[in-house]
Amino acid sequence: MKRKIIIISALVLAAIITAFFMLKPSTISPDQIDIETGIVKRGTISSTVTATGTLEAITSVDVGTQVSGIIENIYVDFNSTVKEGQLLARIDTTNLAAAVEQSQASLDNAKAQMDFQQANYNRLKPLFEKELIAQSEYDETVYNFNVAKANYKSALAQHRQNLINLDFAMIYSPINGVVLNKAVEEGQTVAASFETPTLFTIVKDLTQMQVEANVDEADIGQVKKGQRVEFTVDAYPNEIFEGEVTEVRLEPTVTNNVVTYTIIIIAPNPDYKLMPGLTAETNIFVVEKKDILTVPSKAARFEPDQQLMMSYMQNTPQPPMPQDAPTEGMPPMDGEGQNQDMIWVKRDSMIQPVPVKLGMDDDINAEVLDGLKEGDMVVLKMEQKNAQEQAPEAAGGNPFMPKPPQRNKK
């Protein structure tokens, strides 16, 4: 009986001790609290639209040939710098020169025929006026003279065309630029019967490039001419290039039911690093505020743990609570009845909430409209040091019961 009473008494005592340890308020010293802070400072906040595009030269010209023949000589190569009017290639002129000689002979024959018919016309016209020859004879003379003149004009036109074709055998550069592509080699035959074959592609100026980027229909309304652009290319992953939107094209492009619009971005290229065909990942700055007061966005999202904050404030001298401080954790109302943001400010060892008005937020920094000044230190995070290691030991259990071996392991 006594043994039973002793056991019951021991169990009651154990329960009381357990309840005491579980219900006793925990006291955490400031040294056990880790506080992460940020600084209110001036900076830039921006809103961007992303798009993918391709780098191209602003002016690109395909140089072809209007005559068929064999490429006899090529005087330039890939990446050659050329001037306007410079000879690029020469087509074999044997057949073209023969055609010129043939048309010249036809022209001479037509000229002789026209001269003969004109002389005959000049001789018979006075006789007809004196009614010395028949009307039919005069009419035939006029007809032959007109036919001879028409044949001469036709032969002259054909001869001029053959001379032009002979000139077309010389391929000249139409602009100053760089040879981007050479599509033929010496000895190759080109045929210009149905379409003009491309021999060379020349870009005018590689110191100025353009990006043709496709912007989603949901974002195109924010993109305007003159906006600043930053972009990167895989060839130089650690460099950021700048440009400017110069054109927003109205024609849509539909791919797999996705509507996009093409914009043109001009980018300077003084070092010739940017090359045609590179893929550019662009950031278009649709809104950009510079030299404004900013606070880390993390500070606006910070909500302190009540127990940690109480422990910190109880063990750290705190100033009197300001009159406009929130009650029961609710932010105060501004003059227009709208909720203000609440940010916790740390001054020396003291922490207190401050109502602020925030503006634009780019998820990294937020614009401060009112409530904070440059240099203020704001709380971003508050947590107990080694909280994860202390959590298992804080779990409830009988203090008189031995712990399993694994609980002693770290």
Side-chain angles (χ1 to χ4, degrees):
M1 184 68 178
K2 291 183 179 180
R3 183 175 182 180
K4 185 176 182 181
I5 295 174
I6 294 174
I7 294 175
I8 294 175
S9 301
L11 292 176
V12 172
L13 180 61
I16 294 173
I17 295 175
T18 302
F20 173 79
F21 280 102
M22 292 181 64
L23 299 178
K24 179 184 177 182
S26 60
T27 302
I28 304 174
S29 66
D31 294 338
Q32 294 178 300
I33 300 175
D34 189 11
I35 300 177
E36 179 183 349
T37 60
I39 301 296
V40 177
K41 59 184 178 180
R42 293 198 169 273
T44 300
I45 295 181
S46 59
S47 175
T48 62
V49 169
T50 60
T52 302
T54 304
L55 278 159
E56 296 180 357
I58 296 178
T59 302
S60 178
V61 178
D62 291 331
V63 181
T65 175
Q66 298 188 46
V67 296
S68 302
I70 299 174
I71 302 295
E72 190 171 48
N73 299 105
I74 295 179
Y75 303 103
V76 295
D77 204 347
F78 291 94
N79 302 335
S80 296
T81 301
V82 296
K83 300 292 184 181
E84 182 179 353
Q86 180 178 337
L87 183 62
L88 305 178
R90 181 176 182 272
I91 297 177
D92 181 33
T93 59
T94 302
N95 294 335
L96 298 175
V100 170
E101 292 180 0
Q102 184 178 0
S103 62
Q104 180 65 57
S106 298
L107 179 63
D108 294 342
N109 183 47
K111 181 68 169 54
Q113 185 67 22
M114 184 183 68
D115 292 343
F116 171 75
Q117 293 297 338
Q118 184 175 10
N120 191 32
Y121 170 78
N122 293 337
R123 184 174 61 254
L124 295 180
K125 183 178 179 181
L127 297 178
F128 173 74
E129 291 174 350
K130 295 178 181 180
E131 299 182 351
L132 297 177
I133 59 174
Q135 179 72 39
S136 59
E137 185 178 355
Y138 177 73
D139 291 342
E140 183 178 0
T141 301
V142 173
Y143 170 75
N144 291 335
F145 178 48
N146 290 334
V147 170
K149 287 194 295 182
N151 290 337
Y152 174 77
K153 290 181 180 179
S154 176
L156 179 60
Q158 183 61 48
H159 181 61
R160 288 175 177 173
Q161 181 62 50
N162 288 338
L163 289 175
I164 292 173
N165 289 341
L166 184 61
D167 290 337
F168 281 156
M170 306 297 176
I171 311 300
Y172 298 96
S173 174
I175 59 173
N176 297 332
V178 177
V179 178
L180 189 65
N181 181 40
K182 183 185 71 170
V184 292
E185 298 292 342
E186 291 184 357
Q188 183 175 338
T189 301
V190 293
S193 302
F194 301 102
E195 62 181 8
T196 301
T198 299
L199 307 183
F200 305 95
T201 300
I202 300 177
V203 293
K204 186 174 184 179
D205 184 12
L206 290 179
T207 61
Q208 290 289 330
M209 302 289 288
Q210 71 178 20
V211 181
E212 288 194 9
N214 297 320
V215 178
D216 190 85
E217 61 177 327
D219 299 323
I220 192 62
Q222 304 178 63
V223 181
K224 306 295 180 184
K225 182 178 178 180
Q227 291 174 340
R228 188 173 71 89
V229 180
E230 290 183 353
F231 65 92
T232 59
V233 295
D234 290 340
Y236 306 98
N238 297 324
E239 292 192 41
I240 297 178
F241 301 90
E242 293 192 356
E244 180 180 325
V245 177
T246 59
E247 183 181 357
V248 180
R249 295 181 178 173
L250 302 178
E251 183 181 7
T253 301
V254 182
T255 305
N256 297 328
N257 295 327
V258 177
V259 180
T260 58
Y261 291 84
T262 300
I263 66 170
I264 303 300
I265 301 167
I266 297 298
N269 186 32
D271 299 328
Y272 296 95
K273 289 184 176 181
L274 300 175
M275 295 179 287
L278 291 178
T279 299
E281 298 294 335
T282 66
N283 286 316
I284 306 158
F285 290 81
V286 296
V287 179
E288 193 170 16
K289 295 185 177 181
K290 298 182 178 180
D291 194 28
I292 60 174
L293 202 60
T294 64
V295 64
S297 300
K298 193 175 180 180
R301 297 190 293 266
F302 169 69
E303 294 182 2
D305 180 87
Q306 294 183 4
Q307 183 178 1
L308 285 178
M309 185 59 70
M310 290 292 293
S311 299
Y312 183 86
M313 296 178 70
Q314 288 175 358
N315 293 277
T316 305
Q318 297 292 319
M321 186 66 68
Q323 296 179 358
D324 60 349
T327 60
E328 298 182 359
M330 294 297 295
M333 309 294 284
D334 63 13
E336 299 179 355
Q338 296 180 352
N339 287 336
Q340 291 180 308
D341 292 291
M342 183 62 58
I343 289 183
W344 293 80
V345 177
K346 186 174 186 293
R347 294 185 175 95
D348 297 328
S349 61
M350 300 177 294
I351 295 179
Q352 60 183 7
V354 175
V356 298
K357 289 184 180 180
L358 301 179
M360 183 177 172
D361 191 333
D362 62 1
D363 293 331
I364 300 176
N365 294 303
E367 178 186 10
V368 178
L369 301 177
D370 189 23
L372 296 174
K373 62 181 183 297
E374 187 174 359
D376 281 347
M377 184 178 295
V378 296
V379 179
L380 307 181
K381 185 178 180 181
M382 175 182 284
E383 62 181 0
Q384 185 177 353
K385 294 181 180 179
N386 302 324
Q388 294 181 352
E389 297 180 5
Q390 297 175 8
E393 298 180 4
N398 192 333
F400 295 96
M401 295 295 292
K403 296 181 180 180
Q406 61 271 19
R407 291 198 178 183
N408 295 324
K409 294 181 180 180
K410 294 184 180 180

